[in-house]
Amino acid sequence: MDVRELKQIINKGESPFVDFSKCTTELIDSVFQSICSFLNKEGGSLIVGVHDYGEIVGVSELFVDSMLKKFANAMEEDFSPSLDLAPEVIEINQRKLLYVAIPKSKEVCRYKNKVYDRIGREVCDITYNYNLVGSVFLRKNNESSENIVCPFLRMSELDEMAFRTMRKHLADSNPAHPWLSLTNEEFLHMNGFWGKDPVSKKEGFVLATVLLFGKEETIQNYNPVTYRTDAIYRNIRYDEFSSPALDYPESRYDDRDIIFSNLIDSYLRLMKFVQRNLPKRVLNKGGLSVNIREKLFREIVTNLLIHREYTHKYPCRLLVFSDKLITENGMRTFPETKKTFDSFDVQRINPLITKVFQEMGWIEKPGSGKQNIFKYAPFYDKSYEVGVEIQNAERFVFSISYGNEEGLDDLSLLTSSATFFLERSHPSHSSLPVRKEWAVYDSRLSDACPAIDISYVDKAESVLKACVKPLPIQDMMRIVKQSNRTRFRKNIIRPLLEEGLLAMRIPTKPSSPLQKYFTTEKGKDLL
């Protein structure tokens, strides 16, 4: 460690990643407890010979050797597993300090058979708090908490209405979705919701099953920590609420919904909460109506739910003010306290939950939330500001503010939204090739500049999605709600065949009654 760099660390003071100890003649238990907590968290730096408030007192030169010997013995005898750490002796202002760089351990560490963890700057003995010890073990595990096996969970403990809601949204998104033909139990077994515990070797449904489809009492029984999503609306500006001078207690609110239900129901209730308490913003152009409020806050609500660490003690919170919305959720530890939203890469920790939300049409794809927030926010309010903060290295806080400025109203700026028409010079909202069969002429456009009929583009894309499993033409027509077979062949089937995106099972007999169509590898890549 460089002396100049060490001075900078001391000047910044203690933090979740830096701890001071004022020991001058002997290393005491609190020093090793702090080391244990760093090992179990994200690592950090320990500096011996500095007061808690940053004054350098130094270590007595007569006792440096004995302190180093005790440190080595403790690493070997008192820690489990034993460690290979050694302090550096660094001199600042003619005073000797012991500096220890502590890495994040790959295993759960104990000091004198006790487990220590950090909550902010505090060192906590969590040995007899089995939920918190479980969280430390989970932290060392690369798998998500949604994969915790619940060997005693039974189908009768799940909410049938959650499965029905999922199927309704699946059918709205894709009437031929393969999940629609499965029973509840088949769906769970075929999509990764059944697992085997690597330690006990017991098999059962995983925690994601409980979170997505559990009844309230089931969630309370199986979730390792308190499970709650709290939505609060206060009809007041955020800076007024946060000002100490204002007599506006934390307990006062204008609307509130405390949610203990599964994530499918939680999403629907949170969206209703948003609809009740945030101004509506709808853009209209031609025959198209785009609900910007729904588009924007759907992304925020889904990000709140699917990126949460569900074994964390912090509940989800959705806080709405007259000029700002804030979301808070527990997350896996993060070594930085602040980042900008545009540079922040959201932790994707719940792939099973994310997949279900994606198939239901509640998210576009993993990682699309940040992009869509930036895309829709200017249409909701031109003066918007977005930010994130990591509090105590384990709570993720997102905020978006909105003033009284009207948002953008030029739908052509929404280059990837489903507008009524798109000029040829604009990129299509789909990656499907532009076909003359899909061109229309509108009185608002010159004849020399045809537009692309989005209805045909959407139908072609739906056909490709459905035909991942080979289908006869009548099933394809039913999916895209077409009744005229000749027009369907001309406007949808033929262009897709010519582009090599769709193929026939019996190409030598195009009109065979046994004919089925399937999406080619080129078509799958395009999707």
Side-chain angles (χ1 to χ4, degrees), residues 41-269:
K41 203 72 168 189
E42 291 295 306
S45 299
L46 174 71
I47 307 172
V48 180
V50 180
H51 265 292
D52 293 347
Y53 49 84
E55 181 189 357
I56 298 175
V57 293
V59 173
S60 174
E61 192 164 353
L62 294 174
F63 293 92
V64 169
D65 289 341
S66 63
M67 294 171 75
L68 292 176
K69 184 176 181 180
K70 181 173 182 177
F71 189 94
N73 289 337
M75 294 297 105
E76 180 67 29
E77 299 172 4
D78 296 332
F79 277 85
S80 175
S82 58
L83 302 169
D84 185 19
L85 292 180
E88 291 183 60
V89 181
I90 301 175
E91 188 170 316
I92 296 180
N93 300 335
Q94 298 181 336
R95 298 179 187 272
K96 285 183 167 54
L97 304 178
L98 301 184
Y99 170 78
V100 188
I102 306 159
K104 175 182 178 180
S105 172
K106 294 182 179 179
E107 301 177 65
V108 177
C109 291
R110 295 174 175 84
Y111 171 66
K112 292 185 176 179
N113 292 320
K114 289 190 175 183
V115 181
Y116 294 90
D117 196 10
R118 298 187 76 82
I119 299 177
R121 291 166 48 186
E122 299 299 318
V123 177
C124 302
D125 180 356
I126 62 169
T127 308
Y128 301 107
N129 188 321
Y130 300 113
N131 286 336
L132 294 180
V133 172
S135 296
V136 177
F137 274 95
L138 180 67
R139 194 184 300 152
K140 305 302 177 183
N141 189 344
N142 290 328
E143 291 194 9
S144 169
S145 59
E146 67 172 13
N147 289 312
I148 295 174
V149 176
C150 306
F152 303 107
L153 179 66
R154 299 293 176 261
M155 291 297 298
S156 58
E157 297 177 85
L158 304 181
D159 185 2
E160 177 63 30
M161 184 56 67
F163 286 103
R164 292 180 186 176
T165 302
M166 179 189 73
R167 287 190 170 85
K168 175 184 179 299
H169 288 276
L170 288 175
D172 290 343
S173 179
N174 179 7
H177 198 289
W179 290 359
L180 295 174
S181 61
L182 303 176
T183 65
N184 294 346
E185 195 162 0
E186 287 172 341
F187 159 76
L188 294 172
H189 278 278
M190 292 177 65
N191 287 281
F193 290 89
W194 183 270
K196 184 176 183 179
D197 188 277
V199 178
S200 68
K201 307 303 180 184
K202 292 182 179 180
E203 294 187 0
F205 292 113
V206 297
L207 184 60
T209 313
V210 177
L211 299 174
L212 281 165
F213 305 106
K215 300 174 182 177
E216 284 194 25
E217 58 270 24
T218 306
I219 296 172
Q220 295 301 315
N221 289 335
Y222 285 93
N223 199 44
V225 294
T226 302
Y227 172 94
R228 189 175 96 186
T229 304
D230 202 354
I232 301 175
Y233 170 65
R234 296 182 175 95
N235 188 19
I236 188 172
R237 292 178 58 84
Y238 176 71
D239 57 355
E240 295 176 330
F241 171 76
S242 58
S243 172
L246 184 68
D247 184 19
Y248 197 100
E250 177 87 15
S251 59
R252 180 178 168 186
Y253 55 84
D254 298 283
D255 189 11
R256 187 172 192 176
D257 191 5
I258 303 176
I259 304 171
F260 294 97
S261 55
N262 58 63
L263 294 180
I264 291 177
D265 185 59
S266 295
Y267 169 83
L268 297 173
R269 285 171 63 173

